[in-house]
Amino acid sequence: MSATVSSPPRTIRIGSRASQLALVQTHWVQAQLQKAYPDRTFEVHTMATQGDKILDVALAKIGDKGLFTKELEVGMLQQEIDFAVHSLKDLPTNLPGGLVLGVVTERENPADAVVFHEKYRDLQIETLPPGAVIGTSSLRRLAQLRHHYPHLTFKDIRGNLITRLAKLDSGEFDAIILAVAGLQRLGMGDRIGQILKPEISLHAVGQGALGIECRSDDTEVLALLKAIEHAPTRDRTLAERAFLRELEGGCQVPIGVNSVIDGENLTLTGIVASVDGQQVVTGTVTGQVAAPEDVGIELAQLLRKQGAKEILETIFEAVQRG
């Protein structure tokens, strides 16, 4: 009798944006999975998203639903790739039918960082001279920093992390605000001049974590991905994303969060601010780690009662007017 020849394991195709940071993150995921499953093959496929192509318009003006994810999602639904690696802060809270957030990886420091021009390397953001030009593409950062530092000038900055640093070094900006996690992942932690405390800048929902999106019916991939899931990060970010979803806010609205797990308790702090930084609503809710989304929903309802709804409605109307 002849021996039965089994089919080789399926090759898993990983989707990624083509930016340097996206590829560093994706190759990290690839390496972790390869370590967990040495007999499997994991291939990286890159795609350019709308957010990568349009670099001369502020993010808030070109739409935020899937700005950095849509092309990858189409690739998954058309069976071109099997899953996609995202910076979780870029992943919309409502996903297309047929796709799910498979797992969340362990979070890096989620805080915001200030990177200073050489001439101000010995200063902090609070000691910069009046009128100093600060670059950020995030309405969340803009609103909070305007609230605390109205004497500074803020200017929109686009492009990937390397491009933004080049604009800073050329003298176009006196300082720029970036995520600590991105700088650290690219081995550029030495560029960080200051890490902003939560009382100055609450971070973006999901910031510092990677979200792996895949087809909801792909049980094989979902099972493989469990090897890189980090439960505490998953629970914290589920609470954060529920908070954002309940407020009907996209990634380009002035909504910030901070989450902490202490034993069986999860504490979530949130902020909703007007773009000019004049109106600020904050609150904190503590609940059970076992029900993280309930914590996020409760906090959203609390802030809505305190005026968050009106602030967001004003922002949405302004964006629609262009």
Side-chain angles (χ1 to χ4, degrees), residues 65 88 91-95 101 205 237-251 253 255 257 268 292-294 296-297 300-301 304 312 316:
K65 302 296 186 184
L88 187 56
L91 187 63
T93 55
N94 291 305
L95 303 181
L101 176 58
V205 166
T237 56
L238 282 175
E240 295 171 12
R241 286 170 62 80
F243 169 66
L244 182 61
R245 186 187 304 113
E246 187 73 8
L247 287 174
E248 298 180 349
C251 58
V253 288
I255 293 176
V257 294
L268 182 65
E293 293 186 310
D294 291 347
I297 292 170
Q301 293 171 345
R304 190 181 287 121
L312 291 173
F316 295 148

Side-chain angles (χ1 to χ4, degrees), residues 22 68 81 145 148 150 197 211 218 225 257 263:
F68 294 105
I81 56 176
L145 294 178
H148 291 286
K197 297 179 180 179
D218 195 337
L225 291 174
V257 294

Side-chain angles (χ1 to χ4, degrees), residues 3-223:
T4 301
V5 179
S6 60
S7 300
R10 160 189 169 196
T11 295
I12 304 299
R13 300 157 299 172
I14 309 172
S16 173
R17 291 167 59 194
S19 74
Q20 184 177 356
L21 178 57
L23 284 172
V24 166
Q25 294 175 166
T26 300
H27 285 137
W28 179 85
V29 169
Q30 180 189 33
Q32 298 306 304
L33 288 171
Q34 197 68 72
K35 187 186 303 182
Y37 307 103
D39 61 329
R40 303 298 297 255
T41 300
F42 298 91
E43 296 179 346
V44 174
H45 297 253
T46 60
M47 298 180 179
T49 67
Q50 184 184 18
D52 297 312
K53 298 172 184 175
I54 305 176
L55 299 176
D56 57 350
V57 181
L59 288 176
K61 294 183 179 180
I62 55 177
D64 55 352
K65 302 296 186 184
L67 194 60
F68 294 105
T69 62
K70 185 176 180 180
E71 287 79 1
L72 291 164
E73 291 172 335
V74 170
M76 281 182 279
L77 292 172
Q78 293 183 347
Q79 308 278 329
E80 296 169 1
I81 56 176
D82 298 308
F83 69 84
V85 179
H86 305 290
S87 291
L88 187 56
K89 68 177 182 178
D90 293 333
L91 187 63
T93 55
N94 291 305
L95 303 181
L99 298 179
V100 293
L101 176 58
V103 297
V104 178
T105 67
E106 185 170 6
R107 188 175 225 164
E108 297 274 356
N109 186 336
D112 291 324
V114 188
V115 181
F116 296 94
H117 186 274
E118 175 69 17
K119 64 184 177 182
Y120 291 131
R121 66 178 180 177
D122 295 324
L123 299 185
Q124 299 282 273
I125 192 168
E126 58 268 20
T127 58
L128 285 171
V133 179
I134 313 299
T136 177
S137 63
S138 161
L139 292 185
R140 172 189 59 81
R141 292 168 177 156
L142 176 64
Q144 293 183 89
L145 294 178
R146 274 180 170 165
H147 177 73
H148 291 286
Y149 309 113
H151 63 288
L152 300 177
T153 298
F154 295 92
K155 182 179 175 183
D156 190 68
I157 183 171
R158 290 295 316 279
N160 61 38
L161 190 146
I162 304 300
T163 299
R164 296 185 197 194
L165 288 171
K167 290 180 179 181
L168 169 69
D169 294 338
S170 72
E172 188 175 341
F173 300 88
D174 296 314
I176 60 176
I177 315 298
L178 298 168
V180 170
L183 288 162
Q184 290 179 334
R185 286 183 178 131
L186 285 179
M188 296 181 176
D190 60 332
R191 294 298 305 264
I192 297 173
Q194 180 180 4
I195 295 178
L196 296 176
K197 297 179 180 179
E199 53 265 32
I200 298 299
S201 182
L202 290 177
H203 61 75
V205 166
Q207 186 159 303
L210 303 182
I212 316 298
E213 187 182 17
C214 62
R215 290 184 293 274
S216 57
D217 62 355
D218 195 337
T219 55
E220 181 180 1
V221 164
L222 283 164

